[in-house]
Amino acid sequence: MKKRLQKLMAGKYSTQFSGSIKLRSKEREMWNSVQLFLQRLNSLLMKKLLTEISQCTICKKHLPFAPRPVLQAGPEARIVIIGQAPGLKVQQSGKPWDDASGKKLREWLGVSEEIFYNPNKIALVPMGFCYPGKGTSGDAPPRPECAPQWHELLLKSMKKVQLIILIGQYSQNYYLGKKAGENLTETVKALKKYLPEYFVLPHPSPRNRFWLVKNKWFEKEAVPLLQKKIKALLK
């Protein structure tokens, strides 16, 4: 009688255990289905937002050419790079950072073109989306309309972002506000102050080569730290 009871109890618990495994398996399947649905939904929403941005004409009357917003973004991006505005070459190609500045930036980041131009790894969002024309010294400042119109919507659409790289004074002053230094050099020297949310950089333009020569500490200390963080985020 005792042995029979033990067999019955063993069978009962075995059935319960088996049922529990099946339930957890179904829960995992449901969870995976929900995640897949959300990924597809986020992709569609991002595509819609980028289409709206591509049709933007908010600052048309201030531009030297027809509006051609140049940016890159994906819903899975973990890193956002916020620069100034496209140069003439980038405006013509429609490819962000498709110039000498972009080459230098990729060196600082320690990433290949393949990774850099993957929108679900790195988003490229300038302060001004279109080429602003020539200024008194180099290109004119980014148009002020783009960032307040589109940046918040873009950042809210990229829920996995863990680091925002601010390049140059325009993006640093916009995002850091009163926390920014008196000038770009002071802001970049205090880069650890803005981590882990922001990483501040000078512009990688060839025009800044004298700044890099004068501030050799940047490529010796700041760049290795940047590469370490980028590598960790892209694992």
Side-chain angles (χ1 to χ4, degrees):
M1 182 71 179
K2 185 177 179 181
K3 288 183 178 180
R4 185 181 178 187
L5 183 61
Q6 287 175 338
K7 286 182 180 180
L8 287 172
M9 293 298 289
K12 176 185 176 181
Y13 288 118
S14 176
T15 302
Q16 288 179 344
F17 182 68
S18 177
S20 176
I21 291 176
K22 288 179 181 179
L23 181 60
R24 286 198 295 270
S25 179
K26 287 183 178 179
E27 288 174 347
R28 281 196 297 271
E29 287 177 8
M30 288 179 65
W31 174 252
N32 290 337
S33 297
V34 169
Q35 290 296 101
L36 183 60
F37 170 77
L38 290 175
Q39 285 179 2
R40 289 175 177 171
L41 178 61
N42 289 336
S43 294
L44 288 172
L45 292 174
M46 177 61 80
K47 186 176 181 180
K48 181 177 182 294
L49 178 57
L50 292 175
T51 298
E52 291 176 7
I53 293 173
S54 72
Q55 298 168 352
C56 180
T57 58
I58 193 171
C59 59
K60 180 180 179 179
K61 65 181 180 180
H62 302 289
L63 301 175
F65 303 108
R68 188 184 188 184
V70 181
L71 70 156
Q72 169 181 297
E76 301 293 311
R78 291 190 170 192
I79 300 164
V80 177
I81 297 175
I82 302 180
Q84 295 184 176
L88 181 57
K89 182 182 177 182
V90 169
Q91 179 75 11
Q92 291 171 342
S93 72
K95 187 176 182 180
W97 294 97
D98 182 27
D99 51 19
S101 297
K103 183 178 179 181
K104 189 65 174 178
L105 176 58
R106 289 187 287 276
E107 287 178 10
W108 286 353
L109 297 171
V111 300
S112 64
E113 283 198 30
E114 181 182 3
I115 291 175
F116 187 77
Y117 288 114
N118 184 334
N120 280 313
K121 292 186 181 293
I122 298 175
L124 306 172
V125 182
M127 289 297 294
F129 294 160
C130 297
Y131 173 60
K134 287 292 181 183
T136 54
S137 175
D139 291 342
R143 291 300 313 167
E145 297 90 348
C146 297
Q149 179 74 17
W150 299 113
H151 276 206
E152 185 177 357
L153 291 170
L154 281 164
L155 291 172
K156 283 183 177 179
S157 299
M158 296 182 284
K159 303 183 188 304
K160 295 185 178 181
V161 171
Q162 296 184 43
L163 181 66
I164 298 175
I165 299 173
L166 303 175
I167 297 178
Q169 279 188 301
Y170 295 107
S171 63
Q172 290 163 12
N173 289 340
Y174 186 86
Y175 279 93
L176 302 179
K178 293 180 180 180
K179 293 181 180 179
E182 292 184 4
N183 52 52
L184 181 137
T185 302
E186 293 303 312
T187 301
V188 176
K189 280 184 176 179
L191 64 87
K192 291 183 180 179
K193 171 183 175 182
Y194 310 111
L195 292 170
E197 186 175 5
Y198 300 112
F199 202 111
V200 294
L201 296 176
H203 199 282
S205 168
R207 288 177 176 270
N208 277 349
R209 63 186 181 279
F210 296 116
W211 187 93
L212 293 173
V213 170
K214 190 176 179 179
N215 297 276
K216 293 183 178 179
W217 57 269
F218 172 75
E219 292 192 317
K220 288 181 180 179
E221 300 173 22
V223 170
L225 177 61
L226 173 64
Q227 291 179 352
K228 182 179 179 181
K229 291 191 172 296
I230 296 299
K231 186 176 180 180
L233 290 174
L234 294 176
K235 278 184 178 178

